[in-house]
Amino acid sequence: MATASVSGSRKNELWRCLGEVNDPELDEPITEMGFVERAEVTSDGSVDIDFRLPTYWCSPNFAFLMLDGVRKALDQLSWSPAYRVKLHDHMFAEEVNRGMEAGKTFGDIFAELAEDQDLGALRETFRMKAFKRRQEAVLRGLRQQGLTDREILEMDLPVYDVAGFEPGEAAKQKPRYRAALLERFPDRRAYDPVFVTWDGERIPPTALTGYLGELRGVRINMEFNGALCRGLKQTRYKELDVVDGEPTLVDFIMDRVPARAAPTA
């Protein structure tokens, strides 16, 4: 019984840690996107993970950022296990898996596969988009509660922390926006305004409507890309996503993707 309890506890911890790793472009957990196909704790305490992206052609940069996130999550596990992460059905899967088996770091493996892009700059771009998407959800939620734009934009962290939402997108994004804010501005003071631009500028109440329009564009782009990624993966592996017996946005999009179109990720 004790052994089973430890195994169950470790498996829960494993999935919880993996659930904190996001697709960098979409700001959605890789577990919810279905990229982690298998994550198991073996009898000796080591960890085996099978990882699969939506298409064979997914950018190696995106693969690197996600696999690096997986590595960091696994390094945080309380029992410090040995682990094996295997990438499947990707154009660089052979190179990645061979490198990992040889004990190379992800940085070494992807040094020649990163398409000569600055991964630090790419990571920063995705952090900015995630910041804006999370912020927009909370701002809209506060407006729906009847707060004035001035009340919202004068909100500091103590007031923000006690604000409540009904279950939904604003409630989901509230702690995530707080985390993004503190990551972006680690030296901010508790009584500084919570809602600022990515560059740290205050938002005048008269400008909030226009600012929300900008954030809405970021969200719609990310939501569409997320739906497309899910659709590509589901179509590729013959999975079906149905909610309450009705076709989802994924089905709608995939019905309109030309059969000969080259998918991108």
Side-chain angles (χ1 to χ4, degrees):
M1 289 291 292
T3 301
S5 177
V6 169
S7 177
S9 175
R10 286 180 171 181
K11 186 171 184 178
N12 289 339
E13 180 184 346
L14 170 61
W15 279 99
R16 183 172 64 253
C17 286
L18 291 175
E20 294 174 358
V21 180
N22 291 327
D23 177 308
E25 183 185 25
L26 308 176
D27 193 37
E28 297 187 36
I30 58 174
T31 50
E32 293 184 13
M33 294 297 297
F35 298 162
V36 180
E37 293 208 331
R38 186 176 70 93
E40 293 185 357
V41 180
T42 65
S43 58
D44 64 2
S46 61
V47 170
D48 284 340
I49 292 177
D50 291 321
F51 194 82
R52 194 187 309 266
L53 293 169
T55 74
Y56 183 82
W57 303 273
C58 277
S59 165
N61 296 324
F62 291 4
F64 168 77
L65 292 174
M66 280 184 272
L67 288 171
D68 191 51
V70 170
R71 176 189 62 80
K72 291 176 180 176
L74 296 176
D75 285 341
Q76 293 173 4
L77 293 172
S78 61
W79 70 100
S80 302
Y83 52 79
R84 179 195 66 87
V85 181
K86 188 169 185 180
L87 177 63
H88 294 273
D89 296 337
H90 188 269
M91 60 182 174
F92 291 120
E94 182 177 346
E95 292 87 344
V96 171
N97 295 330
R98 185 170 59 241
M100 286 191 288
E101 289 175 0
K104 295 182 180 180
T105 67
F106 286 125
D108 290 337
I109 296 168
F110 279 91
E112 298 178 358
L113 306 179
E115 300 176 353
D116 298 323
Q117 289 191 27
D118 181 348
L119 289 177
L122 186 64
R123 194 189 302 270
E124 192 70 1
T125 296
F126 290 148
R127 284 181 59 216
M128 176 185 66
K129 291 182 177 181
F131 177 95
K132 291 182 175 182
R133 182 182 185 182
R134 299 175 190 187
Q135 186 186 65
E136 190 237 8
V138 181
L139 286 170
R140 286 191 297 116
L142 291 169
R143 266 190 164 187
Q144 290 169 2
Q145 290 186 352
L147 275 69
T148 67
D149 290 353
R150 183 173 298 279
E151 289 172 331
I152 293 171
L153 295 172
E154 290 179 352
M155 187 174 287
D156 57 27
L157 203 56
V159 175
Y160 179 86
D161 285 342
V162 299
F165 295 101
E166 295 294 326
E169 188 64 13
K172 173 185 174 182
Q173 298 296 350
K174 181 189 173 188
R176 302 183 81 227
Y177 173 65
R178 188 187 199 279
L181 176 72
L182 296 182
E183 180 183 23
R184 175 63 174 164
F185 305 108
D187 298 327
R188 72 179 309 283
R189 297 166 297 181
Y191 295 99
D192 288 339
V194 168
F195 297 108
V196 293
T197 69
W198 175 250
D199 294 324
E201 298 176 357
R202 297 195 66 158
I203 306 164
T206 55
L208 182 57
T209 296
Y211 180 69
L212 280 169
E214 173 193 330
L215 301 187
R216 180 175 179 271
V218 173
R219 170 175 55 85
I220 289 175
N221 178 264
M222 294 173 75
E223 288 179 347
F224 180 86
N225 286 340
L228 185 58
C229 279
R230 288 189 179 91
L232 289 169
K233 186 174 188 297
Q234 289 161 357
T235 298
R236 185 182 185 192
Y237 300 111
K238 310 302 181 184
E239 298 169 357
L240 179 63
D241 184 13
V242 176
V243 177
D244 294 331
E246 296 294 332
T248 66
L249 177 60
V250 168
D251 304 310
F252 177 84
I253 290 173
M254 292 312 301
D255 283 344
R256 288 155 178 77
V257 174
R260 298 177 62 86
T264 60

